[in-house]
Amino acid sequence: MENIEKKPIVKFKVITIFPDFFKPMLEYGVFSRAYKKGLISFETIDLRDFTNDNYKSVDDEPYGGGSGMVFKPVPLGKAIKKAKSKKETKVVYLTPSGRVFNSDIAKELAKEEELVFICGRYEGIDQRIVDLYVDYEVSIGDYVISGGEPAAMVVIDAIARHVEGVVKEMESVVKDSFYDGLLDYPHYTRPETYNGRKVPEVLLSGDHKRIELWREKMKLVETLTKRPDLLEKAKLTQTQKKLLTEIKEQLRKLT
Ligand code: ADE
């Protein structure tokens, strides 16, 4: 028999005090379909299972005083050890103090076979856990939400989109905003005229070369007008650079 090497699936493991939070992920949409097909695996680990007091308490007051509570290191350390099936497994801690998540981090993490996520609550987790076990501190943006669970959902969904087979046509992932560091072009569907506004003529032309060029140009227009900061980092092709010069020239004439 032919020796076909089985592609490893990405195992997502989430340490949380609210395992039910993640149920909808397994019931709806792209992530759920990939999970049911066995392209990815997903598991929650209830932090309270690693406590040994009657109240199953996971948090305690901060040393030095101050407001809020801190996740205790002992249950969390045990949960992480249980979650990691091998030494190399990367641990991701969702925190507003982390590196702001983006498409490059998603692509990088999608290469891992197993990822353990820690969802914090309250004021955070004991720093010794971060120092000893955490490989990536990740934030979903410069604001604070009430716990790491919604952040973990966002990050896990974005990572899963880069796992082969999760999105039916990889082409749509490649064309997603941010894949090449640029925003997506505008999309239109029927009807041809809506509230007096017509779909751009080129999209009805059937001329695929022109459509491709228009989309390429619109990606640059969108990025230049909405997120010029992205253009400074994007690695543009020669064609894109030429198009961008043309766009800037056209915009300059308009103002
Ligand atoms: N927990 C609270 N706020 C967060 C944020 N912005 N990103 C990730 N985790 C968080």
Side-chain angles (χ1 to χ4, degrees):
M1 215 174 85
E2 205 184 339
N3 184 14
I4 302 170
E5 214 180 301
K6 210 171 171 297
K7 178 165 65 73
I9 59 167
V10 182
K11 297 192 189 102
F12 295 102
K13 295 184 176 177
V14 183
I15 300 171
T16 171
I17 54 167
F18 295 130
D20 287 352
F21 221 100
F22 295 89
K23 279 187 176 165
M25 278 189 92
L26 307 181
E27 281 172 32
Y28 305 105
V30 170
F31 190 86
S32 147
R33 205 189 51 231
Y35 171 75
K36 287 173 186 161
K37 273 178 144 181
L39 296 170
I40 48 180
S41 92
F42 182 87
E43 201 184 306
T44 49
I45 291 160
D46 190 342
L47 185 57
R48 294 199 195 278
D49 292 343
F50 299 86
T51 56
N52 51 15
D53 62 308
N54 289 341
Y55 301 101
K56 292 186 177 289
S57 55
V58 291
D59 57 332
D60 208 339
E61 291 162 355
Y63 274 121
S67 64
M69 300 288 271
V70 178
F71 269 7
K72 301 196 285 188
V74 175
L76 197 45
K78 283 184 189 165
I80 294 168
K81 279 190 204 144
K82 176 81 194 300
K84 285 177 72 159
S85 69
K86 47 188 173 53
K87 210 168 86 261
E88 306 80 53
T89 296
K90 297 282 185 289
V91 176
V92 182
Y93 170 40
L94 285 315
T95 165
S97 310
R99 218 169 115 201
V100 177
F101 189 64
N102 61 24
S103 179
D104 289 341
I105 306 178
K107 278 185 236 173
E108 186 180 320
L109 293 178
K111 292 183 196 138
E112 299 292 331
E113 270 179 45
E114 183 174 80
L115 289 165
V116 172
F117 295 84
I118 304 171
C119 302
R121 288 254 143 196
Y122 320 117
E123 291 307 302
I125 66 176
D126 190 288
Q127 184 59 33
R128 289 163 293 185
I129 290 291
V130 179
D131 299 342
L132 285 168
Y133 299 112
V134 171
D135 300 290
Y136 291 84
E137 289 183 82
V138 171
S139 163
I140 55 163
D142 294 338
Y143 45 83
V144 175
I145 54 173
S146 310
E149 284 80 6
M153 281 178 160
V154 168
V155 167
I156 290 170
D157 188 289
I159 296 170
R161 289 179 66 78
H162 292 282
V163 175
E164 214 188 306
V166 168
V167 176
K168 266 191 220 140
E169 290 172 60
M170 204 54 192
E171 193 195 333
S172 64
V173 175
V174 172
K175 287 190 172 166
D176 270 346
S177 282
F178 305 111
Y179 192 88
D180 59 359
L182 299 176
L183 299 185
D184 200 3
Y185 52 80
H187 299 257
Y188 295 88
T189 186
R190 274 182 276 268
E192 220 176 285
T193 306
Y194 172 70
N195 269 13
R197 286 163 185 258
K198 284 203 75 168
V199 168
E201 178 275 326
V202 58
L203 299 180
L204 309 171
S205 69
D207 183 339
H208 296 294
K209 265 210 157 123
R210 259 183 81 209
I211 294 171
E212 205 53 45
L213 186 66
W214 179 85
R215 287 180 169 162
E216 205 55 52
K217 201 168 169 179
M218 288 313 289
K219 280 171 60 167
L220 291 162
V221 171
E222 289 285 292
T223 315
L224 182 67
T225 52
K226 295 179 184 167
R227 292 288 307 276
D229 57 302
L230 292 175
L231 281 175
E232 281 159 33
K233 287 175 265 162
K235 290 189 185 77
L236 300 183
T237 61
Q238 280 311 109
T239 316
Q240 286 173 325
K241 279 184 192 161
K242 209 170 140 240
L243 280 174
L244 187 61
T245 312
E246 281 171 29
I247 294 163
K248 282 183 177 167
E249 187 60 23
Q250 279 169 6
L251 288 175
R252 206 180 50 80
K253 280 184 190 153
L254 287 174
T255 52

